[in-house]
Amino acid sequence: MLTPSLDLPRIRAVTIDLDDTLWPIWPTIERAEAVLLQWMTEHAPATARLFQSTEALRAIRNQMVNLRPDLQHDLSALRRESIRMALTQAGDDGALAEPAFNLFFAERQRVTLFDDAHDTLAFLSARYPVVALSNGNADIHKVGIGQYFKHSLSAAVLGVAKPDARIFHAAAELLQLPPEHVLHVGDDATLDARGAMDAGMQAVWLNPAEAAWPYDQPPHATVSSLSELCSLLGQGSA
């Protein structure tokens, strides 16, 4: 158990990760890939025959990371171009990549929030300005949680991804606060907690699996659930 060292009075705003912090991401991606594959069966049958599983579609998407390093921070572009490559390899029309991606993207926004996510976001937004800070391509308004946020920042828009300090500093600038007055919350030890600390923020690591902290310097606090985060921050309430 990592001893909390949060300076609660110093917190004047919160940034929070999305995927695997507010909802589990892989069930969503797997379902979106299955919907995409079914669409290809109907509209791009040669591609569906060549890539007969969601695993095959994911493999070509992962291959695109190496082929197009310029797109590494833009998950939508990576997915769209991987679909285009699959279509052209199979001899189908590459222009089908646009409607195929749009279908995938719409399904990707149909997330299932963790049970305590809405209550946590309501708690946070009643006390602080909240900014979504994600390397992914979830749209907080399409997901249905936009009302809780002042801003939403993504790696695709900024051109840099967590743990790069610039994405954290961009959030602080939007909030018109120095980084030391911002608390970041996220599930990834490196991308979220360590990245935020290196950028001068306080950090809470969401660690429901109770994994070991991999670095020497611990985060300011570790919680096993979003509800625990609310309890921790509530200690600073008047």
Side-chain angles (χ1 to χ4, degrees), residues 185-235:
V185 179
D187 71 287
D188 193 288
T190 301
L191 303 182
D192 290 304
R194 179 66 182 269
M197 290 190 293
D198 287 347
M201 292 181 176
Q202 294 192 79
V204 173
W205 182 33
L206 178 65
N207 180 27
E210 298 185 352
W213 175 251
Y215 301 104
D216 292 334
Q217 180 187 1
H220 296 86
T222 300
V223 296
S224 60
S225 68
L226 293 169
S227 297
E228 189 179 340
L229 170 69
C230 295
S231 298
L232 180 64
L233 295 179
Q235 295 173 15

Side-chain angles (χ1 to χ4, degrees), residues 104-232:
F104 172 89
F105 187 71
E107 195 66 26
R108 185 259 185 272
Q109 308 306 317
R110 293 182 57 241
V111 303
T112 300
L113 292 160
F114 291 127
D115 290 341
D116 49 2
H118 272 294
D119 287 346
T120 297
L121 290 171
F123 173 93
L124 293 174
S125 61
R127 289 160 176 79
Y128 310 101
V130 181
V131 174
L133 200 59
S134 177
N135 285 358
N137 56 358
D139 183 316
I140 57 173
H141 300 288
K142 288 183 170 66
V143 167
I145 55 174
Q147 69 270 25
Y148 300 117
F149 293 90
K150 293 292 184 184
H151 304 284
S152 179
L153 287 179
S154 70
V157 170
L158 291 173
V160 293
K162 297 178 294 184
D164 192 304
R166 288 174 290 177
I167 193 170
F168 296 100
H169 290 163
E173 288 171 12
L174 270 178
L175 291 160
Q176 297 184 309
L177 290 169
E180 58 266 26
H181 287 297
V182 182
L183 171 68
H184 181 70
V185 179
D187 71 287
D188 193 288
T190 301
L191 303 182
D192 290 304
R194 179 66 182 269
M197 290 190 293
D198 287 347
M201 292 181 176
Q202 294 192 79
V204 173
W205 182 33
L206 178 65
N207 180 27
E210 298 185 352
W213 175 251
Y215 301 104
D216 292 334
Q217 180 187 1
H220 296 86
T222 300
V223 296
S224 60
S225 68
L226 293 169
S227 297
E228 189 179 340
L229 170 69
C230 295
S231 298
L232 180 64

Side-chain angles (χ1 to χ4, degrees), residues 56-71:
L57 287 176
R58 193 174 306 159
I60 197 169
R61 181 258 180 231
N62 293 339
Q63 183 183 354
M64 185 58 65
V65 176
N66 297 321
L67 292 174
R68 292 292 304 274
D70 58 307
L71 300 179

